[in-house]
Amino acid sequence: MLRYLMTALALMLALFLSLQLQTDMTITKQYALIAGLEPLEFVEVDFVYAVLPRLVVAMLVGASLGLVGSLMQQLTQNPLLSPLTFGTSSGAWLALVLAAVFFPDLGVESNTMFALVGALSAMALVLFITGINNLSGLPVILAGMAVNLLLGAFATAVILLNDQYAKNLFIWGAGDLAQNGWDWVQWLTPRMCVGFVILAVAPRVLTLMRIGQQGATARGLSIMPQFLLLLLLGVWLVSSAITAVGVIGFVGLLTPNIARYLGARTARDELFYSLLLGALFLVLTDAFAVWLSKFTLDFIPSGTAAAVIGAPALIWFSRSAVKAQDQMVFRLPQGISYLKKRVITAILVGLISSILLASLFVMKESSWLFSWPDAFSWSIRWPRILTSLAAGAGLAVAGTILQRLIHNPLASPDILGISAGAIFALVFASMFWGITIFEAGPLVAFSGAMGALLIILLLGKKHDYSPPKLILTGIALTALIEAFVQFALARGNDDVYGILVWLAGSTYRVSAEQSVTLAFSVTLLLLVAFSLSRWLTLISAGRDMAFSRGLNGSVAFVLLLCLVALLVAFVTANMGPVAFIGLLAPHMAAMLGAKSVKQQLIVSALIGGFLVQFSDWLGQVVLYPAQLAAGILVSIIGGSYFILLLIKGRVSNYN
């Protein structure tokens, strides 16, 4: 009882603090207006019809997200599960984007149903990937991450293809609590009443589930219907919240963990405590956002403030929340035992064919033609071809080095957050240094990539760079960067769509000079990587083996990681982030028989160049005259591959 009283008191203090930050009126005047005094002056009208509704919405949304987070974590016995990591938020977001673009005249109720269907579809996909009996460990987090990336790529494609209808989506995507009047409060309140049903029904179900499925069944509880019903109610709350205020992450992830840390032991206690902590957390983060906005010319979305606090907290909790059975190594399909000449020939033929398609293939109205390009069209095509080839090869080699260095087949620049660090630096420079994102350059991107890499290494060293710790750290960093990017997009200036196109991983704006610089830099770095293949071979065999052969493993480790950061920086600065190439290309090379370091470096570079270049060409013709960025198509291909890999791993473990 003391915990509840202290939390309620903290919530009241947070509300008081938020009120003082948002208005200059005296406390007496605020109380009088709350009690029913008719507002006359502008500041009074703003207080009654803007400030107060914002606080009420913050409490409603925070409480519902905290409750749903606790419900999901208790249902699955997974302390790292939430609407953010379960894929439901991205599913609802994609559905709302589709509704806003293709059905702009629909009302709020229809949008809610779209969000519900999207969230349920994403959740069903995650459950299909992991299996209903495998929700307590890391695989469900990985599945949620893959679904988030995949659905995010689709949402980005829809926005880019329909930018004239999507201008209001950026603030929504950043998670904003600023409301106009009490309309949203009146709309949200009855829908949040589903939370009372959860509080009434869930404690008994969750208590019985703690003793295991067999024990619960013996006591007359039918697990599956109850499980799905409670999840459906939780997803309804999440969908309603996202419809009202947009995507706000981390609340449902952190508050149940904090509740348990502060002593919540029973199922009912954790649900109620998470509800109160969720309201407190969102009110405080919203107050933090309001306070920060006083020092900038732009408003700070509440979702960005929540991510700034939530990402470090996720890293902290992940250090103890990953179970022993999750310290596993994902085994790739064995593939071919050795590299054959005809495999190399097939890759080269595919690469050359792709280059010829991009060079000679012409779209005219509805017909497809092959013709030799004139000087003007060739001046547009060859920089895109060269950029995509260099970007794919560079990211593929970066992924190969990472997987070899930390003995983790799931390592890649995007999954570990290295690409996110480069994105952060470039967007930050664009926002606060007065330069466009295309002028920031590789040096800025390198600083961001190295910063993210250092964070990952410092946090991972204690646990010997175990895959779960590194992956969860990468997820946290990526979520933080995404919130920051959404903040940049929500500013609504002229650079918004340029940033969004760049974030999609496009060669559209790359100039001839940039493409040559990128190709030269990547080629030079690939030669360095190939010359250091002996180092990578020795480190792959183990630090002791490397030391016995006279190699200073620590120095070699750092230099090779700097090489990875440089490759990521050059590619990201010129083309933008391209997900999954660093994961997909090394895997394909290994399965095609490239077992040695030199072989894998060469084959993965060829495959990476082919995948990005072919995706870039396909994006130009598949929806002609509109264009899809290469990064979007690669994300769809790579995300699908990652999902198949997780499904295969589940089936293999089951067998």
Side-chain angles (χ1 to χ4, degrees):
M1 182 61 68
L2 180 61
R3 285 198 307 272
Y4 292 111
L5 292 176
M6 295 297 293
T7 305
L9 178 61
L11 179 58
M12 293 176 63
L13 291 174
L15 291 171
F16 176 79
L17 173 64
S18 183
L19 286 175
Q20 306 322 306
L21 287 173
Q22 297 186 61
T23 183
D24 295 327
M25 290 190 306
T26 63
I27 298 176
T28 304
K29 178 58 70 69
Q30 294 176 35
Y31 178 77
L33 290 170
I34 294 173
L37 178 68
E38 183 70 22
L40 299 176
E41 300 179 3
F42 173 78
V43 67
E44 296 174 352
V45 173
D46 178 71
F47 179 81
V48 172
Y49 294 105
V51 174
L52 290 180
R54 178 172 182 149
L55 281 179
V56 175
V57 169
M59 287 191 294
L60 287 173
V61 172
S64 63
L65 292 178
L67 177 64
V68 174
S70 177
L71 177 68
M72 286 185 171
Q73 291 182 17
Q74 292 192 71
L75 282 174
T76 61
Q77 299 298 301
N78 189 337
L80 295 177
L81 203 62
S82 74
L84 174 69
T85 54
F86 206 14
T88 51
S89 293
S90 60
W93 168 242
L94 174 59
L96 288 172
V97 168
L98 293 173
V101 170
F102 297 110
F103 308 100
D105 296 329
L106 291 178
V108 177
E109 293 298 332
S110 298
N111 284 340
T112 305
M113 295 309 299
F114 264 89
L116 179 63
V117 172
L120 288 174
S121 300
M123 185 179 69
L125 180 56
V126 172
L127 291 175
F128 173 75
I129 294 169
T130 60
I132 197 69
N133 297 319
N134 196 26
L135 298 177
S136 61
L138 181 67
V140 68
I141 306 299
L142 293 174
M145 179 192 68
V147 170
N148 284 335
L149 290 171
L150 187 61
L151 299 184
F154 281 114
T156 301
V158 173
I159 292 174
L160 286 175
L161 292 172
N162 303 273
D163 55 358
Q164 69 273 26
Y165 300 108
K167 293 181 179 179
N168 296 325
L169 295 175
F170 299 123
I171 295 177
W172 203 5
D176 179 40
L177 291 175
Q179 305 297 320
N180 295 319
W182 291 90
D183 294 342
W184 278 111
V185 175
Q186 296 174 358
W187 183 87
L188 264 177
T189 301
R191 286 154 185 81
M192 297 295 104
C193 290
V194 171
F196 292 111
V197 178
I198 294 175
L199 290 172
V201 175
R204 175 179 175 272
V205 177
L206 297 175
T207 301
L208 289 175
M209 290 187 68
R210 289 186 178 189
I211 64 177
Q213 182 173 348
Q214 293 182 346
T217 304
R219 287 165 174 78
L221 176 65
S222 180
I223 292 289
M224 191 54 59
Q226 302 271 12
F227 179 90
L228 294 177
L229 175 62
L230 288 174
L231 275 184
L232 177 62
L233 294 177
V235 171
W236 167 261
L237 285 179
V238 173
S239 303
S240 300
I242 291 177
T243 302
V245 302
V247 180
I248 297 180
F250 290 106
V251 179
L253 178 64
L254 296 181
T255 50
N257 283 283
I258 296 173
R260 288 189 293 271
Y261 180 79
L262 294 177
R265 295 291 177 263
T266 66
R268 184 184 301 274
D269 199 19
E270 184 181 323
L271 288 173
F272 276 96
Y273 206 24
S274 298
L275 182 148
L276 287 174
L277 288 172
L280 174 62
F281 179 82
L282 197 51
V283 169
L284 284 176
T285 53
D286 188 49
F288 178 57
V290 172
W291 177 76
L292 284 179
S293 298
K294 293 180 179 293
F295 302 97
T296 65
L297 298 177
D298 304 291
F299 78 96
I300 307 295
S302 305
T304 303
V308 169
I309 299 172
L314 171 59
I315 295 172
W316 171 264
F317 283 116
S318 69
R319 296 169 73 87
S320 58
V322 178
K323 297 183 178 181
Q325 63 264 30
D326 290 326
Q327 309 297 324
M328 71 307 199
V329 176
F330 278 74
R331 299 186 182 277
L332 299 176
Q334 292 299 314
I336 304 173
S337 57
Y338 65 94
L339 186 62
K340 299 178 181 179
K341 290 183 178 180
R342 65 172 178 266
V343 171
I344 295 291
T345 302
I347 296 173
L348 290 174
V349 169
L351 182 60
I352 295 171
S353 300
S354 178
I355 294 173
L356 290 175
L357 278 174
S359 302
L360 305 178
F361 188 86
V362 179
M363 290 288 296
K364 288 187 177 180
E365 297 180 356
S366 59
S367 60
W368 296 5
L369 302 174
F370 284 93
S371 65
W372 193 260
D374 56 33
F376 175 74
S377 62
W378 180 242
S379 67
I380 297 175
R381 294 184 190 184
W382 75 258
R384 300 189 68 168
I385 296 172
L386 189 60
T387 298
S388 56
L389 289 172
L395 292 177
V397 169
T400 302
I401 295 173
L402 274 178
Q403 292 177 18
R404 290 274 185 172
L405 279 181
I406 61 179
H407 306 92
N408 183 355
L410 291 180
S412 73
D414 49 296
I415 291 178
L416 295 187
I418 301 172
S419 295
I423 297 168
F424 176 84
L426 290 166
V427 174
F428 186 90
S430 174
M431 290 176 58
F432 298 105
W433 291 352
I435 57 178
T436 68
I437 203 166
F438 304 98
E439 297 172 346
L443 182 60
V444 175
F446 175 72
S447 64
M450 280 301 299
L453 194 55
L454 288 174
I455 292 173
I456 292 169
L457 293 178
L458 288 174
L459 295 174
K461 184 176 181 181
K462 181 179 178 181
H463 301 279
D464 198 25
Y465 308 110
S466 69
K469 304 294 183 183
L470 290 176
I471 290 166
L472 289 170
T473 302
I475 290 173
L477 288 176
T478 302
L480 175 61
I481 302 306
E482 287 178 352
F484 185 82
V485 171
Q486 288 290 345
F487 164 52
L489 296 176
R491 299 173 72 204
N493 56 27
D494 295 335
D495 296 330
V496 164
Y497 288 106
I499 292 175
L500 193 62
V501 170
W502 174 81
L503 287 171
S506 175
T507 63
Y508 179 71
R509 292 195 178 187
V510 178
S511 65
E513 181 182 353
Q514 289 174 320
S515 64
V516 172
T517 302
L518 175 63
F520 176 79
S521 303
V522 169
T523 301
L524 182 61
L525 292 172
L526 293 187
L527 291 175
V528 173
F530 191 77
S531 67
L532 299 179
S533 59
R534 179 178 176 274
W535 289 9
L536 196 55
T537 301
L538 291 175
I539 294 177
S540 301
R543 296 290 182 90
D544 294 336
M545 172 67 74
F547 183 77
S548 65
R549 298 298 179 90
L551 176 66
N552 188 328
S554 299
V555 174
F557 191 83
V558 171
L559 289 176
L560 286 168
L561 286 176
C562 289
L563 183 61
V564 170
L566 280 171
L567 285 167
V568 172
F570 275 107
V571 173
T572 306
N574 287 279
M575 185 177 173
V578 182
F580 288 115
I581 286 297
L583 175 76
L584 182 57
H587 287 189
M588 295 181 67
M591 288 187 289
L592 291 174
K595 306 301 182 183
S596 70
V597 171
K598 289 183 179 180
Q599 289 179 342
Q600 192 176 18
L601 288 173
I602 294 173
V603 176
S604 63
L606 293 174
I607 293 174
F610 165 75
L611 287 174
V612 177
Q613 199 280 314
F614 182 76
S615 297
D616 185 58
W617 170 79
L618 188 62
Q620 297 177 47
V621 300
V622 69
L623 293 177
Y624 183 84
Q627 293 190 25
L628 280 177
I632 292 176
L633 289 176
V634 171
S635 294
I636 294 172
I637 296 170
S640 303
Y641 167 80
F642 193 21
I643 289 173
L644 290 175
L645 183 66
L646 293 173
I647 294 174
K648 185 176 179 61
R650 172 175 64 86
V651 173
S652 299
N653 292 333
Y654 180 78
N655 293 333

